[in-house]
């Protein structure tokens, strides 16, 4: 029995405890990075929509509406040339128009897919008749926190960094 090699039960329990502590720390950090990736994809998509709408407005003196039936895949894809089908979290969008010509405004909305785990994330960009557009990023977590950001990325309501690592 003197030649037997291996680990004692105490050594195995210590290793299991250390791995458990590391996983407790790593999982919330990973979820925070995932939420940031989702938000970045949404901001990129909504920025593309805003640019396409401005180009369309410059040519036609009105914005292009994208409804629930299209979601950026039919006529909107041909006109605005914003294709969200290859995105992981946000594969569709809609654009609501109010007013006409000089008084026209648009509201671009992207909502996360349920299949990708982004179903609680919604981002919208409202373009006023004059002035800078306002970007609103909202997601619901266990505490139902809503986060609003200005178009420049600065927080306009509360501290936007405090919720980055929450579920």
């Amino acid at each position: 029995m003197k030649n037997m090699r291996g680990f004692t039960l105490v050594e195995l329990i210590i290793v299991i405890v250390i791995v458990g502590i590391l996983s407790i720390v790593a999982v919330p950090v990973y979820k925070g990075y995932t939420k940031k990736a989702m938000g970045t994809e949404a901001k990129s998509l909504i920025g593309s929509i805003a640019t396409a709408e401005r180009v369309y407005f410059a040519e036609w003196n009105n914005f292009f509406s994208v409804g629930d039936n299209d979601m950026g895949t039919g006529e909107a894809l041909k006109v605005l040339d914003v294709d969200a089908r290859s995105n992981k979290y946000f594969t569709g969008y809609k654009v609501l128009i109010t007013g006409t010509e000089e008084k026209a405004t648009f509201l671009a909305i992207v909502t996360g897919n349920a299949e990708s785990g982004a179903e609680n994330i919604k981002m919208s960009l409202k373009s006023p008749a004059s002035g800078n557009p306002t970007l609103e990023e909202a997601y619901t977590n266990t505490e139902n926190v809503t986060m609003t950001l200005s178009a420049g990325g600065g927080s306009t309501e509360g501290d936007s960094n405090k919720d980055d690592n929450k579920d």
Side-chain angles (χ1 to χ4, degrees):
M1 289 294 249
K2 291 183 180 181
N3 293 335
M4 291 187 70
R5 292 185 177 181
F7 298 105
T8 65
L9 183 61
V10 173
E11 291 171 334
L12 290 174
I13 290 175
I14 290 173
V15 169
I16 291 171
V17 168
I18 290 172
V19 168
I21 291 171
L22 290 175
S23 65
I24 288 172
V25 172
V27 169
V29 171
Y30 172 75
K31 286 184 178 183
Y33 286 129
T34 305
K35 285 279 189 199
K36 284 182 183 180
M38 291 176 188
T40 301
E41 183 178 289
K43 286 178 187 177
S44 174
L45 176 59
I46 212 156
S48 297
I49 296 166
T51 301
E53 285 289 353
R54 288 186 193 116
V55 169
Y56 186 86
F57 187 85
E59 188 172 338
W60 299 100
N61 204 28
N62 206 352
F63 293 113
F64 186 79
S65 179
V66 181
D68 288 331
N69 294 335
D70 190 335
M71 291 300 288
T73 58
E75 186 67 20
L77 180 59
K78 296 174 189 171
V79 174
L80 296 179
D81 196 28
V82 177
D83 190 358
R85 294 176 294 179
S86 64
N87 288 350
K88 181 175 182 179
Y89 304 111
F90 299 89
T91 56
Y93 57 89
K94 60 183 174 180
V95 180
L96 308 174
I97 310 299
T98 57
T100 58
E101 297 183 6
E102 292 84 27
K103 295 184 179 182
T105 64
F106 73 89
L107 176 66
I109 302 168
V110 296
T111 305
N113 297 334
E115 300 88 35
S116 65
E119 69 274 1
N120 295 327
I121 299 177
K122 179 180 180 182
M123 190 172 290
S124 61
L125 178 76
K126 183 173 186 177
S127 174
S130 62
N132 292 328
T134 304
L135 179 67
E136 292 185 1
E137 178 181 359
Y139 67 88
T140 308
N141 62 15
T142 53
E143 287 118 15
N144 294 323
V145 175
T146 300
M147 181 168 58
T148 304
L149 303 174
S150 68
S155 176
T156 59
E157 187 177 293
D159 183 3
S160 63
N161 294 328
K162 69 180 178 183
D163 299 317
D164 285 344
N165 292 330
K166 290 188 179 178
D167 297 329

